[in-house]
Amino acid sequence: MATLFIPPQMRDLTGGAASLTAHGATLGEVFAALETAHPGLNSRIAPDGTLAGGWPSRSDGRMTARGLLAPISATSEIHILPAIGGG
């Protein structure tokens, strides 16, 4: 199963869990699989069926430009990166 690392801003949806595991061939399938156990997670990350602008993702050490279509393997490590603002 792929491992999804949860940023602190989203742990209210995971019961405080810092990581979750799920099956899926794409990033979108992993998020959809997690939605059943953690309602609201998928809609916060991909509210309109695409990754929300403030949540880029990194899979297996690389930033992905394929969004929810990014391929995921059974051993993938997925990081959702919150936007960082500042001045």
Side-chain angles (χ1 to χ4, degrees), residues 29-40:
E29 289 178 11
V30 169
F31 291 150
L34 290 171
E35 183 67 17
T36 303
H38 304 282

Side-chain angles (χ1 to χ4, degrees), residues 2 9 13-14 21 24-25 28-29 31 33 41 44 47 51 55 61 64-65 67-68 71 74 76 78 86-87:
Q9 301 90 323
L13 299 172
T14 65
T21 58
E29 289 178 11
F31 291 150
L41 185 64
R44 191 175 300 177
L51 282 177
W55 298 104
T64 179
L68 297 177
S76 287
I78 305 161

Side-chain angles (χ1 to χ4, degrees), residues 5-86:
F5 292 92
I6 309 298
Q9 301 90 323
M10 300 180 95
R11 292 184 188 161
D12 60 317
L13 299 172
T14 65
S19 66
L20 303 169
T21 58
H23 292 287
T26 66
L27 189 57
E29 289 178 11
V30 169
F31 291 150
L34 290 171
E35 183 67 17
T36 303
H38 304 282
L41 185 64
N42 190 37
S43 62
R44 191 175 300 177
I45 295 170
D48 61 359
T50 60
L51 282 177
W55 298 104
S57 66
R58 186 176 141 197
S59 176
D60 298 326
R62 294 178 304 246
M63 293 301 290
T64 179
R66 297 195 58 197
L68 297 177
L69 298 176
I72 300 298
S73 74
T75 59
S76 287
E77 291 187 355
I78 305 161
H79 296 265
I80 304 302
L81 307 171
I84 298 174

